[in-house]
């Protein structure tokens, strides 16, 4: 099982190392040919407007969209924004792979970053995670299921194939979220 980590911008190295520690095979993805070798893709946190531009610059937009029914994608923070169908921000063209909308920096700006325990519902464990300029989910369709909440707010969604996550699981010692994601991946 090869887990791609989109490595155009942002916090990709921590995911790569996490996947290695977790005993799976990570692959940095910067090109279509690297993407085509992957069974799954993590879109990391970073800055969604820059990531949106870099995805176009590297000719990856249509390639990712074309694979949306074949591979599993986990979008973290800026990656969550890219997976969403959010509209109305300058320089941001999301991939609209999942049907939900967010408010960017909805949990506050950089100075308001914080660590907190969230309840990860599939394993019923409390996990310590970081919220860094995290997007807040505003609406989501009933195709999505909320699988983690913080302070009454949904902070993680899945449509059964993809996962979108407001916070950063890659700084946590807990691997429940990576396990949940890799369990979705069916390798033919
Ligand atoms: N607020 C950032 C954005 O809108 C995302 C922050 C993050 O990925 N940690 O792109």
């Amino acid at each position: 099982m090869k887990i791609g980590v989109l490595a155009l911008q942002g916090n990709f190295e921590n995911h790569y190392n996490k996947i290695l520690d977790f005993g799976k095979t990570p692959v940095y993805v910067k090109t279509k040919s690297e993407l085509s070798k992957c069974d799954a893709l993590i879109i990391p946190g970073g800055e969604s407007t820059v990531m949106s531009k870099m995805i176009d610059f590297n000719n990856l937009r249509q390639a990712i969209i074309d694979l949306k029914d074949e591979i599993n994608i986990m979008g973290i923070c800026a990656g969550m924004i890219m997976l969403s169908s959010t509209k109305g921000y300058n320089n941001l063209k999301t991939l609209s792979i999942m049907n939900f909308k967010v408010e960017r920096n909805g949990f506050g700006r950089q100075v308001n970053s914080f660590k907190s325990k969230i309840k990860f519902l599939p394993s019923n464990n409390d996990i310590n995670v970081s919220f860094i300029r995290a997007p807040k989910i505003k609406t989501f369709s009933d195709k999505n299921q909320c699988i983690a909440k913080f302070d009454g707010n949904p902070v993680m969604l899945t449509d059964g194939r993809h996962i979108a996550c407001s916070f950063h699981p890659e700084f946590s010692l807990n691997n429940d979220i990576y396990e949940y994601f890799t369990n979705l991946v069916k390798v033919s």
Side-chain angles (χ1 to χ4, degrees):
M1 179 189 299
K2 291 206 169 94
I3 312 279
V5 181
L6 192 66
L8 302 176
Q9 193 271 331
N11 195 27
F12 48 82
E13 203 178 336
N14 289 91
H15 288 287
Y16 188 96
N17 292 332
K18 188 76 164 171
I19 296 290
L20 269 184
D21 291 349
F22 181 58
K24 304 283 180 197
T25 309
V27 180
Y28 281 133
V29 172
K30 291 194 176 85
T31 64
K32 280 197 222 179
S33 101
E34 286 158 350
L35 178 64
S36 69
K37 297 186 181 87
C38 297
D39 305 296
L41 180 69
I42 295 176
I43 306 182
E47 165 58 42
S48 52
T49 55
V50 179
M51 212 175 283
S52 176
K53 276 187 202 155
M54 294 290 283
I55 283 173
D56 287 326
F57 189 73
N58 288 269
N59 266 318
L60 282 168
R61 183 173 296 272
Q62 200 52 47
I64 296 173
I65 293 171
D66 285 347
L67 284 172
K68 75 177 169 54
D69 297 323
E70 285 165 48
I71 64 168
N72 306 83
I73 308 176
M74 178 161 76
I76 303 298
C77 207
M80 167 192 241
I81 301 171
M82 288 310 300
L83 275 184
S84 78
S85 35
T86 306
K87 304 231 167 357
Y89 288 103
N90 286 339
N91 302 319
L92 175 66
K93 198 169 146 203
T94 67
L95 296 165
S96 291
I97 285 176
M98 290 175 73
N99 193 352
F100 67 92
K101 293 190 168 68
V102 300
E103 176 192 353
R104 294 177 64 205
N105 305 317
F107 286 99
R109 304 198 69 80
Q110 185 74 19
V111 287
N112 306 113
S113 298
F114 58 95
K115 283 193 176 147
S116 176
K117 277 196 172 120
I118 55 108
K119 172 78 76 189
F120 183 54
L121 299 169
S123 65
N124 208 31
N125 283 333
D126 288 326
I127 305 178
N128 266 317
V129 296
S130 310
F131 286 79
I132 306 168
R133 292 177 287 121
K136 197 178 243 181
I137 297 165
K138 286 292 164 190
T139 56
F140 60 97
S141 84
D142 58 11
K143 288 210 176 95
N144 295 303
Q145 185 193 350
C146 167
I147 49 174
K149 277 192 175 178
F150 164 71
D151 212 11
N153 296 294
V155 287
M156 194 169 181
L157 298 175
T158 183
D159 61 6
R161 175 176 285 279
H162 309 302
I163 295 175
C165 188
S166 296
F167 54 82
H168 290 260
E170 68 272 27
F171 301 123
S172 170
L173 295 175
N174 178 291
N175 282 333
D176 285 5
I177 289 172
Y178 291 90
E179 191 175 346
Y180 185 83
F181 179 57
T182 52
N183 278 341
L184 292 176
V185 184
K186 309 238 178 331
V187 181
S188 50

